[in-house]
Amino acid sequence: MFNLLGWFDLGTPEGMLFLISSILILPAILFALWAQFRVMSAFNNYSNVMSQTGETGASVARRLLDQNGCGHVAVELTNGHLSDHYDPRKKVVRLSEGVYNSSSLAALGVAAHEVGHAIQDHTGYAPLKIRQVVIKTTRLVNFALLPLIIIGMIGMFVGLIFIHPDFFFWFVIAMAAMYGMSVLVNLLTLAPEFDASRRARKLLDESGIIRDPSEMDGVRRVLGAAALTYVAALVVSLVYFLRFLALAIMLAGRRR
């Protein structure tokens, strides 16, 4: 049985980084939960506010795609709640039932946002292309983010007491690398998502689909809440990355 508690030196820069990042874990997770609650609340609220035009999310998506040179992009219904997305490989905007068949402000905002991604793809928007390339190589890591958080917390406690120091060291290195890739993916996600929301507001305004300033305010609130979830995901992955990075540096110093 090995006790690695003696390996920690909180008086060093990496020790302080480990301590600070450890303290920030709970606030980061609470921030992510709050961001998720906010997007659900905004979507549910504005799902009950119908637009003056009465157009559905599907018809709005089709119209905006056709008006912006993306007539080749299909619009399809997909299962799930808030599972809306643009598939750049198959050139398809997929809308959930609550968006596809609804004429609410929330539905129009989400549909226009996904059209924004299709237009990004059509015009060769560089941040989207970079994100697509990176995601192809890190898809498994980003998908496994929540399990990684759980494994990391358990591994920290178990490793400090029972696991051989060499095994624990390489476990920490692996976790730091995976969270580092997650940080990269989440960071590269911000620009395309914020840009797609900006495009969505402009498209809805210029096309006359949204005519009333109060309606645009509702769309803005939904899209703003959604964007916050991407910021929260970056914060959580960054805090965990810094924690494991600091721990890896401390352990590497003790191995010399």
Side-chain angles (χ1 to χ4, degrees), residues 5-72:
L5 289 173
W7 289 32
F8 291 88
D9 184 0
L10 300 181
T12 61
E14 57 270 21
M16 288 302 298
L17 179 60
F18 175 79
L19 177 62
I20 293 172
S21 57
S22 297
I23 293 173
L24 290 177
I25 287 177
L26 181 58
I29 293 177
L30 291 176
F31 174 52
L33 293 174
W34 174 75
Q36 190 62 36
F37 169 79
R38 183 175 173 185
V39 71
M40 293 296 294
S41 177
F43 183 84
N44 291 335
N45 184 30
Y46 287 99
S47 289
N48 296 316
V49 181
M50 300 299 116
S51 67
Q52 294 179 14
T53 60
E55 291 191 61
T56 65
S59 64
V60 164
R62 182 71 272 157
R63 195 215 297 194
L64 294 178
L65 287 168
D66 292 341
Q67 290 177 347
N68 291 273
C70 297
H72 61 287

Side-chain angles (χ1 to χ4, degrees), residues 73-79 82-96 99 110-111 113-115 117-118 131 193 230:
V73 177
V75 179
E76 296 179 354
L77 177 65
T78 189
N79 296 324
L82 289 179
S83 54
D84 313 87
H85 63 281
Y86 168 66
D87 187 339
R89 295 171 301 169
K90 297 185 177 181
K91 310 302 180 185
V92 176
V93 168
R94 296 193 176 96
L95 304 177
S96 61
V99 172
V110 171
H113 176 90
E114 300 309 330
V115 169
H117 284 309
R131 176 177 177 269
E193 292 301 330
Y230 296 104

Side-chain angles (χ1 to χ4, degrees), residues 134-157:
V134 173
I135 283 181
K136 286 180 181 178
T137 59
T138 61
R139 184 173 298 157
L140 178 62
V141 173
N142 213 42
F143 177 78
L145 181 59
L146 182 57
L148 284 175
I149 293 175
I150 298 174
I151 292 172
M153 295 177 68
I154 296 175
M156 285 291 294
F157 287 108

Side-chain angles (χ1 to χ4, degrees), residues 184-204:
L184 178 61
V185 169
N186 287 316
L187 182 62
L188 293 175
T189 295
L190 293 183
E193 292 301 330
F194 278 91
D195 179 74
S197 290
R198 180 191 62 79
R199 290 174 188 260
R201 294 191 298 269
K202 184 177 180 180
L203 289 169
L204 292 172

Side-chain angles (χ1 to χ4, degrees), residues 31 82 110 127-129 165 203 219 240 244 252:
F31 174 52
L82 289 179
V110 171
L128 180 67
K129 289 186 173 295
L203 289 169
V219 170
Y240 272 95
F244 280 107

